[in-house]
Structure formats: C-alpha cells, structure tokens
Amino acid sequence: MKYAIVTFGCRVNQADSLRMEEEFLARGGTATAAADADLVVVNTCSVTASADQGARQAIRRIARDNPASRIVVTGCYATRCEADVAVLPNVVRVVRNSEKDALVERVTDGDGPCGAAIETGVRRALRILHQPLDSWSRPESADRRCRR
C-alpha cells in the first residue's frame, strides 16, 4: 500500500504522525507523495480558524490531485468538526483524537471503505479499539453538503 501523511500543527501532531509512519512502514507500507498515495492521512490542527481553513483546502487539493485517494482525517479539527470534515471530498473516515492510536490498524485491517481496498500489512497502533470497522459510524450529518 502506498500512503502519505500530511501533518498540520503542534509537536504532538508531529509525534503522532511519526508514530503512524513507523506503523505503516512496519506493516509493509510505502511512503509516497499525497498525489500518488492510495491512502492519505491528514493530521489536522484547530488552533485558529485559518488552521481549519488550511486543513479543508489541503483535503480538497489532495482529492483534486489524486481522485482515487482515500483520505482519513484525524487531529483536533477532525475531532472538533467531525461532521464538516466527513463530507469533504474523498474522506472515507474521520478519526477523533481519542481513537488516533488505533488509526493505522483500523485502516489496514478489515473491510471498511478503507480496509477493503488496501493491502493488509500495516497494523499496530490501535490495539485499544478491537471492534469491527463497521462500528466506526459516519456522522448522521455527513450526507449533507459542507457549507464552508
């Protein structure tokens, strides 16, 4: 599986992204640019309104440059505005900060919108959350269009 991690914000996000990178590599993933990736993880910040806007713009740009990509969004913006993030183009999963440790395992094991199309091989972080992928529900408002 080819993956990319795009990180916004603080040192905590940077450390989380490095941990995810290690987990993807340990599972046989290949790091690449977002334009070439099968899966793109966007680790967001939400310290200011411009940080939120930057994350939305990055997600739209990734989807435009790589229409086949599956985008998983995590971080503070994803946690704070889950429904808004879920309706952005190519977003297949929104992972709250409290579930971030399980992100790699969740998106590489199982049969969800991410897992089914991704080769297995990248797994570790999410041993906390061992429920099936379909237990990660998409927010009810995700069917509505984003107004931003």
Side-chain angles (χ1 to χ4, degrees):
M1 172 196 54
K2 296 186 295 183
Y3 71 91
I5 301 174
V6 178
T7 306
F8 292 88
C10 66
R11 290 183 185 194
V12 171
N13 274 8
Q14 292 170 16
D16 288 343
S17 291
L18 285 172
R19 181 190 43 76
M20 285 185 262
E21 176 95 13
E22 290 172 353
E23 292 175 20
F24 278 117
L25 290 171
R27 292 171 182 234
T30 303
T32 189
D36 301 319
D38 302 313
L39 174 73
V40 180
V41 176
V42 180
N43 195 354
T44 64
C45 176
S46 193
V47 72
T48 65
S50 65
D52 294 354
Q53 180 181 5
R56 287 190 304 274
Q57 287 174 341
I59 292 165
R60 288 185 181 110
R61 184 173 44 257
I62 293 164
R64 183 176 57 248
D65 293 347
N66 184 355
S69 66
R70 290 174 303 281
I71 301 172
V72 175
V73 186
T74 191
C76 294
Y77 177 54
T79 299
R80 193 175 63 77
C81 298
E82 189 173 352
D84 291 343
V85 172
V87 297
L88 291 170
N90 292 29
V91 172
V92 295
R93 182 161 292 147
V94 178
V95 179
R96 301 178 64 78
N97 276 336
S98 61
E99 300 164 332
K100 192 186 290 188
D101 284 344
L103 187 148
V104 174
E105 183 178 1
R106 287 288 179 106
V107 300
T108 58
D109 300 336
D111 57 354
C114 276
I118 295 175
E119 302 167 20
T120 58
V122 186
R123 115 173 37 224
R124 170 183 109 48
L126 311 188
R127 37 177 198 248
I128 301 169
L129 306 167
H130 284 290
Q131 64 253 72
L133 282 173
D134 57 0
S135 69
W136 282 33
S137 62
R138 188 172 166 107
E140 213 174 275
S141 59
D143 295 327
R144 289 185 245 146
R145 294 191 59 88
C146 183
R147 292 187 269 290
R148 293 184 183 177

